[in-house]
Amino acid sequence: MDILESDSRYRRKPMATVRNTVPKLLPFLMTVCNYFVLWIPLSEPGWYNALIKCLPIVSLEFFVLIYSTGVGKFSPYAKKIFLGLVFSAAGDISLVWPDYFQLGMVMFGLAHLMYTTAFGFHPLNLRIFLVIALFCVGFYSMTFSYLTGPFVYMVAGYTMLIGTMTWRALTRVSFASHKFSWAWISAAVGSIFFMVSDCVLAVDKFCFPISKSREIIMSTYYGAQLLIALSITGWTRDDFMWKSK
């Protein structure tokens, strides 16, 4: 009987999470739509532009806070995701002005550090590490000849940070019945979206122009942040103990 009750709880929880989550995401969805509808030219940097750009990320910060308050616990994982979003919003603001592009890279680098520490370093899964490492080395080798000044080192460091973040997110995905979590899949897909967004941005800025680059960069970026933020709705390892026994 206990097992049947636990299994029933296991099936109900995803739908309860969806009902509890979707209304809290409305501000994010509205601000993202607002960004694409207004589509302020990049040639017009200013605080209004910065506000419109970072509002979706600020909305996700509030989502993390409101969701954590609703479940009665601001977990260490949620705190690190929240800090990652804070640094991301600072990065968004910095990138509005071309003169502060390097500061924006630093802010997003700190965001990736927060996400990496949130995802943790267990299990290691060296096969995924090798795949990500080879991709990062190949991408940096492709862009190296276009880089000048401090960007030679900054792009290398940033590539390592986002590569590490993606590696750690992917290694948490498991399809074993007692470890499966949509939250980890959400974080993993989000990390891939983040890497796609930044790769397109890097090629478009340093190498050669890409058609519809801004649309690709911002859509994958907002999607990445949404999926990473949604990972806070997942279950902890303790929630799966009944399945593993």
Side-chain angles (χ1 to χ4, degrees):
M1 185 65 181
D2 291 339
I3 295 176
L4 292 176
E5 289 176 354
S6 296
D7 188 61
S8 176
R9 175 173 67 86
Y10 177 76
R11 291 195 302 269
R12 288 197 302 267
K13 191 164 183 178
M15 288 308 300
T17 300
V18 171
R19 289 193 298 269
N20 189 36
T21 300
V22 172
K24 298 179 176 66
L25 290 174
L26 290 178
F28 169 78
L29 298 175
M30 293 173 62
T31 52
V32 167
C33 289
N34 190 47
Y35 175 84
F36 285 102
V37 168
L38 292 176
W39 203 243
I40 301 173
L42 297 177
S43 59
E44 301 176 8
W47 284 107
Y48 179 68
N49 190 348
L51 176 66
I52 296 302
K53 185 180 182 183
C54 75
L55 270 179
I57 307 305
V58 174
S59 299
L60 289 178
E61 293 170 19
F62 279 104
F63 164 74
V64 172
L65 291 175
I66 294 171
Y67 186 88
S68 298
T69 301
V71 298
K73 182 181 180 182
F74 195 19
S75 67
Y77 180 85
K79 291 177 183 177
K80 292 170 183 175
I81 297 299
F82 176 80
L83 287 174
L85 291 169
V86 170
F87 285 124
S88 295
D92 282 331
I93 294 172
S94 300
L95 293 183
V96 169
W97 289 273
D99 291 342
Y100 293 100
F101 189 87
Q102 293 179 18
L103 177 61
M105 290 183 67
V106 172
M107 291 297 103
F108 277 112
L110 292 173
H112 294 317
L113 279 176
M114 290 297 100
Y115 293 153
T116 300
T117 56
F119 300 149
F121 285 89
H122 179 80
L124 284 178
N125 200 325
L126 295 180
R127 285 180 294 182
I128 293 179
F129 169 78
L130 289 174
V131 172
I132 298 296
L134 287 173
F135 174 82
C136 290
V137 170
F139 180 80
Y140 181 71
S141 298
M142 182 190 75
T143 59
F144 178 77
S145 60
Y146 296 93
L147 302 175
T148 58
F151 287 115
V152 172
Y153 309 102
M154 294 187 71
V155 172
Y158 187 86
T159 302
M160 290 175 59
L161 288 173
I162 193 171
T164 301
M165 185 272 291
T166 304
W167 166 46
R168 297 319 309 149
L170 291 174
T171 56
R172 299 309 300 264
V173 175
S174 174
F175 294 100
S177 60
H178 65 282
K179 293 182 180 180
F180 179 81
S181 171
W182 284 109
W184 289 126
I185 294 179
S186 179
V189 175
S191 70
I192 294 173
F193 277 16
F194 218 134
M195 182 169 278
V196 170
S197 177
D198 282 353
C199 285
V200 174
L201 187 153
V203 171
D204 185 69
K205 179 175 178 61
F206 299 114
C207 303
F208 49 82
I210 297 177
S211 177
K212 302 292 183 181
S213 60
R214 186 180 176 191
E215 290 89 337
I216 298 171
I217 292 166
M218 296 310 299
S219 59
T220 51
Y221 168 68
Y222 285 139
Q225 296 283 28
L226 170 63
L227 291 169
I228 291 174
L230 281 173
S231 67
I232 70 163
T233 65
W235 304 304
T236 63
R237 184 170 297 181
D238 292 339
D239 294 320
F240 290 96
M241 288 301 292
W242 66 272
K243 290 285 281 183
S244 60
K245 290 181 180 179

PDB file of all heavy atoms in Angstrom, residues 170-197:
ATOM      1  N   LEU A 170      24.933  18.629 -18.432  1.00  0.00           N
ATOM      2  CA  LEU A 170      24.642  17.400 -19.172  1.00  0.00           C
ATOM      3  C   LEU A 170      24.883  16.152 -18.342  1.00  0.00           C
ATOM      4  O   LEU A 170      24.178  15.152 -18.492  1.00  0.00           O
ATOM      5  CB  LEU A 170      25.495  17.351 -20.443  1.00  0.00           C
ATOM      6  CG  LEU A 170      25.147  18.376 -21.530  1.00  0.00           C
ATOM      7  CD1 LEU A 170      26.161  18.302 -22.668  1.00  0.00           C
ATOM      8  CD2 LEU A 170      23.746  18.149 -22.061  1.00  0.00           C
ATOM      9  N   THR A 171      25.876  16.196 -17.465  1.00  0.00           N
ATOM     10  CA  THR A 171      26.203  14.990 -16.690  1.00  0.00           C
ATOM     11  C   THR A 171      25.138  14.661 -15.647  1.00  0.00           C
ATOM     12  O   THR A 171      25.094  13.539 -15.158  1.00  0.00           O
ATOM     13  CB  THR A 171      27.552  15.154 -15.964  1.00  0.00           C
ATOM     14  OG1 THR A 171      27.520  16.326 -15.146  1.00  0.00           O
ATOM     15  CG2 THR A 171      28.689  15.261 -16.956  1.00  0.00           C
ATOM     16  N   ARG A 172      24.287  15.615 -15.304  1.00  0.00           N
ATOM     17  CA  ARG A 172      23.256  15.348 -14.300  1.00  0.00           C
ATOM     18  C   ARG A 172      22.055  14.624 -14.867  1.00  0.00           C
ATOM     19  O   ARG A 172      21.205  14.133 -14.116  1.00  0.00           O
ATOM     20  CB  ARG A 172      22.788  16.660 -13.655  1.00  0.00           C
ATOM     21  CG  ARG A 172      23.871  17.437 -12.921  1.00  0.00           C
ATOM     22  CD  ARG A 172      24.635  16.567 -11.923  1.00  0.00           C
ATOM     23  NE  ARG A 172      23.786  16.009 -10.899  1.00  0.00           N
ATOM     24  CZ  ARG A 172      23.610  16.552  -9.690  1.00  0.00           C
ATOM     25  NH1 ARG A 172      24.225  17.670  -9.383  1.00  0.00           N
ATOM     26  NH2 ARG A 172      22.823  15.976  -8.806  1.00  0.00           N
ATOM     27  N   VAL A 173      21.953  14.542 -16.182  1.00  0.00           N
ATOM     28  CA  VAL A 173      20.805  13.882 -16.806  1.00  0.00           C
ATOM     29  C   VAL A 173      20.944  12.373 -16.658  1.00  0.00           C
ATOM     30  O   VAL A 173      21.970  11.793 -16.990  1.00  0.00           O
ATOM     31  CB  VAL A 173      20.688  14.262 -18.289  1.00  0.00           C
ATOM     32  CG1 VAL A 173      19.566  13.471 -18.960  1.00  0.00           C
ATOM     33  CG2 VAL A 173      20.453  15.756 -18.435  1.00  0.00           C
ATOM     34  N   SER A 174      19.899  11.758 -16.143  1.00  0.00           N
ATOM     35  CA  SER A 174      19.873  10.299 -16.008  1.00  0.00           C
ATOM     36  C   SER A 174      18.463   9.826 -16.319  1.00  0.00           C
ATOM     37  O   SER A 174      17.480  10.434 -15.900  1.00  0.00           O
ATOM     38  CB  SER A 174      20.265   9.878 -14.588  1.00  0.00           C
ATOM     39  OG  SER A 174      20.097   8.482 -14.419  1.00  0.00           O
ATOM     40  N   PHE A 175      18.365   8.720 -17.061  1.00  0.00           N
ATOM     41  CA  PHE A 175      17.061   8.174 -17.412  1.00  0.00           C
ATOM     42  C   PHE A 175      16.696   6.967 -16.541  1.00  0.00           C
ATOM     43  O   PHE A 175      15.717   6.278 -16.808  1.00  0.00           O
ATOM     44  CB  PHE A 175      17.022   7.798 -18.893  1.00  0.00           C
ATOM     45  CG  PHE A 175      17.139   9.001 -19.792  1.00  0.00           C
ATOM     46  CD1 PHE A 175      18.359   9.320 -20.379  1.00  0.00           C
ATOM     47  CD2 PHE A 175      16.055   9.822 -20.023  1.00  0.00           C
ATOM     48  CE1 PHE A 175      18.474  10.428 -21.201  1.00  0.00           C
ATOM     49  CE2 PHE A 175      16.163  10.934 -20.839  1.00  0.00           C
ATOM     50  CZ  PHE A 175      17.365  11.241 -21.431  1.00  0.00           C
ATOM     51  N   ALA A 176      17.509   6.719 -15.506  1.00  0.00           N
ATOM     52  CA  ALA A 176      17.162   5.672 -14.546  1.00  0.00           C
ATOM     53  C   ALA A 176      15.902   6.083 -13.793  1.00  0.00           C
ATOM     54  O   ALA A 176      15.732   7.255 -13.448  1.00  0.00           O
ATOM     55  CB  ALA A 176      18.318   5.453 -13.572  1.00  0.00           C
ATOM     56  N   SER A 177      15.016   5.130 -13.537  1.00  0.00           N
ATOM     57  CA  SER A 177      13.705   5.457 -12.975  1.00  0.00           C
ATOM     58  C   SER A 177      13.791   6.181 -11.632  1.00  0.00           C
ATOM     59  O   SER A 177      12.985   7.056 -11.343  1.00  0.00           O
ATOM     60  CB  SER A 177      12.880   4.181 -12.807  1.00  0.00           C
ATOM     61  OG  SER A 177      13.544   3.278 -11.920  1.00  0.00           O
ATOM     62  N   HIS A 178      14.791   5.846 -10.795  1.00  0.00           N
ATOM     63  CA  HIS A 178      14.867   6.462  -9.476  1.00  0.00           C
ATOM     64  C   HIS A 178      15.666   7.753  -9.487  1.00  0.00           C
ATOM     65  O   HIS A 178      15.779   8.416  -8.451  1.00  0.00           O
ATOM     66  CB  HIS A 178      15.476   5.470  -8.469  1.00  0.00           C
ATOM     67  CG  HIS A 178      16.900   5.103  -8.760  1.00  0.00           C
ATOM     68  ND1 HIS A 178      17.241   4.204  -9.738  1.00  0.00           N
ATOM     69  CD2 HIS A 178      18.069   5.528  -8.207  1.00  0.00           C
ATOM     70  CE1 HIS A 178      18.560   4.073  -9.771  1.00  0.00           C
ATOM     71  NE2 HIS A 178      19.087   4.865  -8.863  1.00  0.00           N
ATOM     72  N   LYS A 179      16.229   8.131 -10.652  1.00  0.00           N
ATOM     73  CA  LYS A 179      17.008   9.370 -10.733  1.00  0.00           C
ATOM     74  C   LYS A 179      16.453  10.349 -11.777  1.00  0.00           C
ATOM     75  O   LYS A 179      16.895  11.483 -11.841  1.00  0.00           O
ATOM     76  CB  LYS A 179      18.469   9.053 -11.091  1.00  0.00           C
ATOM     77  CG  LYS A 179      19.227   8.294 -10.020  1.00  0.00           C
ATOM     78  CD  LYS A 179      20.664   8.069 -10.458  1.00  0.00           C
ATOM     79  CE  LYS A 179      21.467   7.312  -9.399  1.00  0.00           C
ATOM     80  NZ  LYS A 179      22.868   7.093  -9.849  1.00  0.00           N
ATOM     81  N   PHE A 180      15.486   9.885 -12.568  1.00  0.00           N
ATOM     82  CA  PHE A 180      14.991  10.713 -13.664  1.00  0.00           C
ATOM     83  C   PHE A 180      14.347  11.992 -13.139  1.00  0.00           C
ATOM     84  O   PHE A 180      13.586  11.985 -12.187  1.00  0.00           O
ATOM     85  CB  PHE A 180      13.962   9.936 -14.482  1.00  0.00           C
ATOM     86  CG  PHE A 180      13.384  10.740 -15.607  1.00  0.00           C
ATOM     87  CD1 PHE A 180      14.072  10.882 -16.792  1.00  0.00           C
ATOM     88  CD2 PHE A 180      12.165  11.373 -15.464  1.00  0.00           C
ATOM     89  CE1 PHE A 180      13.546  11.630 -17.835  1.00  0.00           C
ATOM     90  CE2 PHE A 180      11.628  12.127 -16.500  1.00  0.00           C
ATOM     91  CZ  PHE A 180      12.324  12.250 -17.686  1.00  0.00           C
ATOM     92  N   SER A 181      14.688  13.105 -13.778  1.00  0.00           N
ATOM     93  CA  SER A 181      14.107  14.390 -13.403  1.00  0.00           C
ATOM     94  C   SER A 181      14.055  15.301 -14.616  1.00  0.00           C
ATOM     95  O   SER A 181      15.072  15.525 -15.284  1.00  0.00           O
ATOM     96  CB  SER A 181      14.943  15.048 -12.296  1.00  0.00           C
ATOM     97  OG  SER A 181      14.506  16.374 -12.069  1.00  0.00           O
ATOM     98  N   TRP A 182      12.867  15.816 -14.898  1.00  0.00           N
ATOM     99  CA  TRP A 182      12.731  16.778 -15.984  1.00  0.00           C
ATOM    100  C   TRP A 182      13.522  18.038 -15.695  1.00  0.00           C
ATOM    101  O   TRP A 182      13.909  18.761 -16.613  1.00  0.00           O
ATOM    102  CB  TRP A 182      11.260  17.106 -16.191  1.00  0.00           C
ATOM    103  CG  TRP A 182      10.493  16.031 -16.885  1.00  0.00           C
ATOM    104  CD1 TRP A 182       9.546  15.203 -16.342  1.00  0.00           C
ATOM    105  CD2 TRP A 182      10.622  15.636 -18.260  1.00  0.00           C
ATOM    106  NE1 TRP A 182       9.078  14.314 -17.289  1.00  0.00           N
ATOM    107  CE2 TRP A 182       9.720  14.566 -18.476  1.00  0.00           C
ATOM    108  CE3 TRP A 182      11.414  16.076 -19.317  1.00  0.00           C
ATOM    109  CZ2 TRP A 182       9.599  13.938 -19.710  1.00  0.00           C
ATOM    110  CZ3 TRP A 182      11.284  15.465 -20.562  1.00  0.00           C
ATOM    111  CH2 TRP A 182      10.385  14.410 -20.748  1.00  0.00           C
ATOM    112  N   ALA A 183      13.743  18.313 -14.430  1.00  0.00           N
ATOM    113  CA  ALA A 183      14.488  19.515 -14.062  1.00  0.00           C
ATOM    114  C   ALA A 183      15.909  19.470 -14.607  1.00  0.00           C
ATOM    115  O   ALA A 183      16.422  20.471 -15.124  1.00  0.00           O
ATOM    116  CB  ALA A 183      14.520  19.669 -12.538  1.00  0.00           C
ATOM    117  N   TRP A 184      16.565  18.311 -14.497  1.00  0.00           N
ATOM    118  CA  TRP A 184      17.932  18.194 -15.002  1.00  0.00           C
ATOM    119  C   TRP A 184      17.960  18.229 -16.520  1.00  0.00           C
ATOM    120  O   TRP A 184      18.900  18.760 -17.131  1.00  0.00           O
ATOM    121  CB  TRP A 184      18.582  16.920 -14.480  1.00  0.00           C
ATOM    122  CG  TRP A 184      18.906  16.977 -13.030  1.00  0.00           C
ATOM    123  CD1 TRP A 184      18.531  16.090 -12.058  1.00  0.00           C
ATOM    124  CD2 TRP A 184      19.683  17.978 -12.354  1.00  0.00           C
ATOM    125  NE1 TRP A 184      19.009  16.476 -10.835  1.00  0.00           N
ATOM    126  CE2 TRP A 184      19.720  17.638 -10.987  1.00  0.00           C
ATOM    127  CE3 TRP A 184      20.322  19.135 -12.776  1.00  0.00           C
ATOM    128  CZ2 TRP A 184      20.389  18.408 -10.038  1.00  0.00           C
ATOM    129  CZ3 TRP A 184      20.992  19.918 -11.834  1.00  0.00           C
ATOM    130  CH2 TRP A 184      21.020  19.542 -10.483  1.00  0.00           C
ATOM    131  N   ILE A 185      16.931  17.667 -17.164  1.00  0.00           N
ATOM    132  CA  ILE A 185      16.841  17.760 -18.621  1.00  0.00           C
ATOM    133  C   ILE A 185      16.665  19.215 -19.034  1.00  0.00           C
ATOM    134  O   ILE A 185      17.279  19.690 -20.003  1.00  0.00           O
ATOM    135  CB  ILE A 185      15.680  16.889 -19.147  1.00  0.00           C
ATOM    136  CG1 ILE A 185      15.989  15.410 -18.900  1.00  0.00           C
ATOM    137  CG2 ILE A 185      15.432  17.152 -20.627  1.00  0.00           C
ATOM    138  CD1 ILE A 185      14.900  14.473 -19.355  1.00  0.00           C
ATOM    139  N   SER A 186      15.841  19.934 -18.291  1.00  0.00           N
ATOM    140  CA  SER A 186      15.627  21.355 -18.563  1.00  0.00           C
ATOM    141  C   SER A 186      16.937  22.131 -18.471  1.00  0.00           C
ATOM    142  O   SER A 186      17.263  22.944 -19.352  1.00  0.00           O
ATOM    143  CB  SER A 186      14.609  21.933 -17.571  1.00  0.00           C
ATOM    144  OG  SER A 186      14.397  23.310 -17.782  1.00  0.00           O
ATOM    145  N   ALA A 187      17.709  21.886 -17.406  1.00  0.00           N
ATOM    146  CA  ALA A 187      18.993  22.575 -17.235  1.00  0.00           C
ATOM    147  C   ALA A 187      19.966  22.204 -18.347  1.00  0.00           C
ATOM    148  O   ALA A 187      20.707  23.058 -18.851  1.00  0.00           O
ATOM    149  CB  ALA A 187      19.591  22.233 -15.872  1.00  0.00           C
ATOM    150  N   ALA A 188      19.970  20.930 -18.748  1.00  0.00           N
ATOM    151  CA  ALA A 188      20.895  20.471 -19.791  1.00  0.00           C
ATOM    152  C   ALA A 188      20.570  21.120 -21.140  1.00  0.00           C
ATOM    153  O   ALA A 188      21.468  21.619 -21.834  1.00  0.00           O
ATOM    154  CB  ALA A 188      20.835  18.946 -19.910  1.00  0.00           C
ATOM    155  N   VAL A 189      19.288  21.119 -21.504  1.00  0.00           N
ATOM    156  CA  VAL A 189      18.890  21.744 -22.766  1.00  0.00           C
ATOM    157  C   VAL A 189      19.164  23.247 -22.716  1.00  0.00           C
ATOM    158  O   VAL A 189      19.617  23.847 -23.694  1.00  0.00           O
ATOM    159  CB  VAL A 189      17.404  21.475 -23.068  1.00  0.00           C
ATOM    160  CG1 VAL A 189      16.962  22.221 -24.325  1.00  0.00           C
ATOM    161  CG2 VAL A 189      17.154  19.978 -23.232  1.00  0.00           C
ATOM    162  N   GLY A 190      18.907  23.848 -21.543  1.00  0.00           N
ATOM    163  CA  GLY A 190      19.191  25.270 -21.385  1.00  0.00           C
ATOM    164  C   GLY A 190      20.661  25.596 -21.579  1.00  0.00           C
ATOM    165  O   GLY A 190      21.015  26.601 -22.192  1.00  0.00           O
ATOM    166  N   SER A 191      21.532  24.737 -21.064  1.00  0.00           N
ATOM    167  CA  SER A 191      22.972  24.972 -21.219  1.00  0.00           C
ATOM    168  C   SER A 191      23.393  24.889 -22.686  1.00  0.00           C
ATOM    169  O   SER A 191      24.249  25.651 -23.139  1.00  0.00           O
ATOM    170  CB  SER A 191      23.762  23.965 -20.377  1.00  0.00           C
ATOM    171  OG  SER A 191      23.674  22.649 -20.921  1.00  0.00           O
ATOM    172  N   ILE A 192      22.781  23.969 -23.427  1.00  0.00           N
ATOM    173  CA  ILE A 192      23.089  23.854 -24.853  1.00  0.00           C
ATOM    174  C   ILE A 192      22.612  25.093 -25.603  1.00  0.00           C
ATOM    175  O   ILE A 192      23.322  25.643 -26.455  1.00  0.00           O
ATOM    176  CB  ILE A 192      22.449  22.582 -25.440  1.00  0.00           C
ATOM    177  CG1 ILE A 192      23.100  21.335 -24.822  1.00  0.00           C
ATOM    178  CG2 ILE A 192      22.587  22.549 -26.962  1.00  0.00           C
ATOM    179  CD1 ILE A 192      22.435  20.037 -25.210  1.00  0.00           C
ATOM    180  N   PHE A 193      21.405  25.567 -25.268  1.00  0.00           N
ATOM    181  CA  PHE A 193      20.893  26.794 -25.881  1.00  0.00           C
ATOM    182  C   PHE A 193      21.820  27.970 -25.601  1.00  0.00           C
ATOM    183  O   PHE A 193      22.069  28.806 -26.476  1.00  0.00           O
ATOM    184  CB  PHE A 193      19.497  27.106 -25.336  1.00  0.00           C
ATOM    185  CG  PHE A 193      18.379  26.365 -26.023  1.00  0.00           C
ATOM    186  CD1 PHE A 193      18.635  25.259 -26.814  1.00  0.00           C
ATOM    187  CD2 PHE A 193      17.069  26.773 -25.867  1.00  0.00           C
ATOM    188  CE1 PHE A 193      17.606  24.574 -27.447  1.00  0.00           C
ATOM    189  CE2 PHE A 193      16.034  26.103 -26.494  1.00  0.00           C
ATOM    190  CZ  PHE A 193      16.295  25.001 -27.275  1.00  0.00           C
ATOM    191  N   PHE A 194      22.330  28.020 -24.364  1.00  0.00           N
ATOM    192  CA  PHE A 194      23.234  29.105 -23.984  1.00  0.00           C
ATOM    193  C   PHE A 194      24.501  29.059 -24.839  1.00  0.00           C
ATOM    194  O   PHE A 194      24.997  30.091 -25.318  1.00  0.00           O
ATOM    195  CB  PHE A 194      23.599  28.987 -22.501  1.00  0.00           C
ATOM    196  CG  PHE A 194      23.691  30.297 -21.791  1.00  0.00           C
ATOM    197  CD1 PHE A 194      23.095  30.467 -20.541  1.00  0.00           C
ATOM    198  CD2 PHE A 194      24.364  31.382 -22.339  1.00  0.00           C
ATOM    199  CE1 PHE A 194      23.153  31.678 -19.874  1.00  0.00           C
ATOM    200  CE2 PHE A 194      24.442  32.592 -21.679  1.00  0.00           C
ATOM    201  CZ  PHE A 194      23.830  32.747 -20.444  1.00  0.00           C
ATOM    202  N   MET A 195      25.022  27.872 -25.042  1.00  0.00           N
ATOM    203  CA  MET A 195      26.238  27.738 -25.830  1.00  0.00           C
ATOM    204  C   MET A 195      25.983  28.127 -27.286  1.00  0.00           C
ATOM    205  O   MET A 195      26.818  28.801 -27.917  1.00  0.00           O
ATOM    206  CB  MET A 195      26.766  26.305 -25.742  1.00  0.00           C
ATOM    207  CG  MET A 195      28.056  26.082 -26.506  1.00  0.00           C
ATOM    208  SD  MET A 195      28.829  24.488 -26.142  1.00  0.00           S
ATOM    209  CE  MET A 195      29.704  24.873 -24.617  1.00  0.00           C
ATOM    210  N   VAL A 196      24.839  27.731 -27.831  1.00  0.00           N
ATOM    211  CA  VAL A 196      24.486  28.108 -29.201  1.00  0.00           C
ATOM    212  C   VAL A 196      24.399  29.624 -29.313  1.00  0.00           C
ATOM    213  O   VAL A 196      24.945  30.228 -30.251  1.00  0.00           O
ATOM    214  CB  VAL A 196      23.149  27.463 -29.615  1.00  0.00           C
ATOM    215  CG1 VAL A 196      22.661  28.047 -30.944  1.00  0.00           C
ATOM    216  CG2 VAL A 196      23.290  25.955 -29.729  1.00  0.00           C
ATOM    217  N   SER A 197      23.728  30.252 -28.362  1.00  0.00           N
ATOM    218  CA  SER A 197      23.571  31.707 -28.375  1.00  0.00           C
ATOM    219  C   SER A 197      24.917  32.411 -28.367  1.00  0.00           C
ATOM    220  O   SER A 197      25.169  33.320 -29.176  1.00  0.00           O
ATOM    221  CB  SER A 197      22.747  32.146 -27.157  1.00  0.00           C
ATOM    222  OG  SER A 197      22.631  33.554 -27.103  1.00  0.00           O
TER     223      SER A 197
END
